[in-house]
Amino acid sequence: MTTLTETRSPLGRMRATFARRTEGRAVVLLSLIALVTIFVEPVTFTSFEVTLGRIALIGLVALGLTTVILMGELDLAVASTLAVSGVVMASFDNLFVGVLAALAVGLLVGVVNAFFVVIVGINSFIATLGMLFFLRGAAFVISNEEPVRLADRDAGITFGQDLIGPLTPRVLIFFAVFILIHVFVTRVGAGRQFYAVGGNREAAVDAGIPVKLRVLTGFMISGFIASLAGVINTLERTAADPTAGGTVLLASFAAAIIGGVYLKGGRGSVLGTLLGAATLGILQVSLTLAAVQVDVQNIVIGSVLLLAVITDPENLRAVVGNVRSFFSSRSSTQLQA
């Protein structure tokens, strides 16, 4: 039995950290990826702007996804929300109005997704998959299938410049969103209830938690943050691309899962998502600097994601149990023979 003194010791705290289901694997994977990168592509850690920018883009969308996944739901429309929000923003001559319109689109997408899930009763995977195709098509229609340049390109160029050292507005916004969501799901009652909704929805209803309202809130947060990522991406590129966000969906889901967020809900942390985003950001930048093709990068990301899923404590217990059952059944069969 672990004593209080052992738990408070540095080694005890380290063991407690790695024993946690949410962040433990993320810390291990991040350490492994960072160690390999140091020897294979060390320039990744000197290209602060590129690496931090990639982590911020992946992490920003993943943070929004985390609020939905914590409740056992999925939002496959985040990448398309990013793309259509950017196109809507660039369609306005007034930059301020364009940004407001783009963010409003994200909120509206979240409301529509929640409507189909909590009111109509459609599975979130199917509902948001349909929204994914709808929004992608809308982005192409609005943009006439070509990039839309910002009317105020100077503002976009200024936005992409460093503010504090290598920290650009994208990175600073990402850290601000991280802090806000972390505080929301850990300190605010409504945010903490996300775990209850994902852990046991029937029990949450019996406890008087407004489950439908919480699901609506989660989808609205996810849609809003995805549109915010679209705004940032459009500003930095000074143009909106209807094909934007093609790799964001896979990377953001992978970041959340690597960070220990349980797809069935009720388990995970925003800190874990941050660690997962850092892992994937470093991995993607190092592969890009090594001139690895995008298709091969997706294979590597998929492999890391599979490793994260396999090493999940619950999955490991299931695998061990199945192996034991297999060998036990074979032993019984041999004895009977």
Side-chain angles (χ1 to χ4, degrees):
M1 183 175 179
T2 304
T3 64
L4 182 60
T5 304
E6 291 176 339
T7 303
R8 288 180 176 176
S9 67
L11 182 59
R13 288 196 297 268
M14 185 177 295
R15 288 176 178 174
T17 298
F18 282 96
R20 293 179 64 183
R21 294 182 178 182
T22 52
E23 293 95 358
R25 287 176 301 125
V27 172
V28 173
L29 284 173
L30 176 58
S31 302
L32 290 175
I33 294 297
L35 185 62
V36 173
T37 302
I38 288 174
F39 290 101
V40 177
E41 204 64 46
V43 72
T44 302
F45 294 102
T46 58
S47 304
F48 295 111
E49 294 183 14
V50 177
T51 304
L52 288 175
R54 189 60 192 170
I55 292 173
L57 180 62
I58 295 173
L60 195 59
V61 178
L63 288 174
L65 274 175
T66 299
T67 61
V68 175
I69 300 176
L70 284 176
M71 293 183 287
E73 305 291 352
L74 297 175
D75 186 358
L76 302 181
V78 288
S80 296
T81 303
L82 183 155
V84 75
S85 297
V87 171
V88 168
M89 170 188 165
S91 300
F92 287 86
D93 293 331
N94 186 294
L95 182 62
F96 180 73
V97 174
V99 171
L100 291 181
L103 297 177
V105 167
L107 290 174
L108 179 60
V109 170
V111 171
V112 173
N113 284 335
F115 171 78
F116 283 116
V117 173
V118 301
I119 303 300
V120 180
I122 300 176
N123 181 275
S124 61
F125 178 88
I126 301 300
T128 58
L129 180 63
M131 184 62 72
L132 180 155
F133 288 107
F134 175 84
L135 294 176
R136 185 65 66 177
F140 277 100
V141 170
I142 297 172
S143 65
N144 292 322
E145 301 185 6
E146 59 184 17
V148 182
R149 291 192 176 188
L150 284 177
D152 189 355
R153 298 187 65 191
D154 292 338
I157 295 173
T158 302
F159 180 84
Q161 295 177 353
D162 299 341
L163 288 180
I164 305 174
L167 302 181
T168 62
R170 174 198 290 195
V171 177
L172 294 175
I173 291 173
F174 165 64
F175 283 124
V177 171
F178 164 75
I179 293 172
L180 288 174
I181 295 184
H182 177 70
V183 171
F184 177 69
V185 300
T186 58
R187 304 296 181 187
V188 180
R192 292 199 303 267
Q193 290 175 354
F194 283 17
Y195 289 94
V197 173
N200 190 325
R201 187 158 297 190
E202 292 183 1
V205 173
D206 294 338
I209 295 175
V211 172
K212 293 183 178 180
L213 180 59
R214 295 293 170 261
V215 174
L216 170 64
T217 303
F219 274 109
M220 289 181 68
I221 291 175
S222 180
F224 180 83
I225 293 180
S227 65
L228 178 61
V231 168
I232 294 172
N233 190 59
T234 302
L235 281 171
E236 291 187 340
R237 295 174 180 268
T238 68
D241 187 351
T243 65
T247 61
V248 170
L249 179 62
L250 172 62
S252 57
F253 263 104
I257 295 171
I258 289 173
V261 181
Y262 192 39
L263 283 178
K264 292 184 179 180
R267 193 188 76 199
S269 73
V270 177
L271 177 59
T273 299
L274 173 63
L275 295 173
T279 301
L280 287 179
I282 293 172
L283 180 61
Q284 284 191 338
V285 172
S286 62
L287 292 174
T288 300
L289 292 175
V292 177
Q293 296 181 350
V294 176
D295 293 337
V296 179
Q297 291 186 28
N298 289 335
I299 293 175
V300 176
I301 293 173
S303 301
V304 173
L305 176 59
L306 181 61
L307 177 64
V309 172
I310 292 175
T311 54
D312 181 88
E314 185 170 324
N315 291 335
L316 282 177
R317 285 194 294 270
V319 171
V320 172
N322 291 334
V323 171
R324 287 178 177 174
S325 299
F326 174 76
F327 283 106
S328 296
S329 62
R330 288 195 61 182
S331 299
S332 300
T333 303
Q334 292 174 357
L335 291 174
Q336 291 176 359

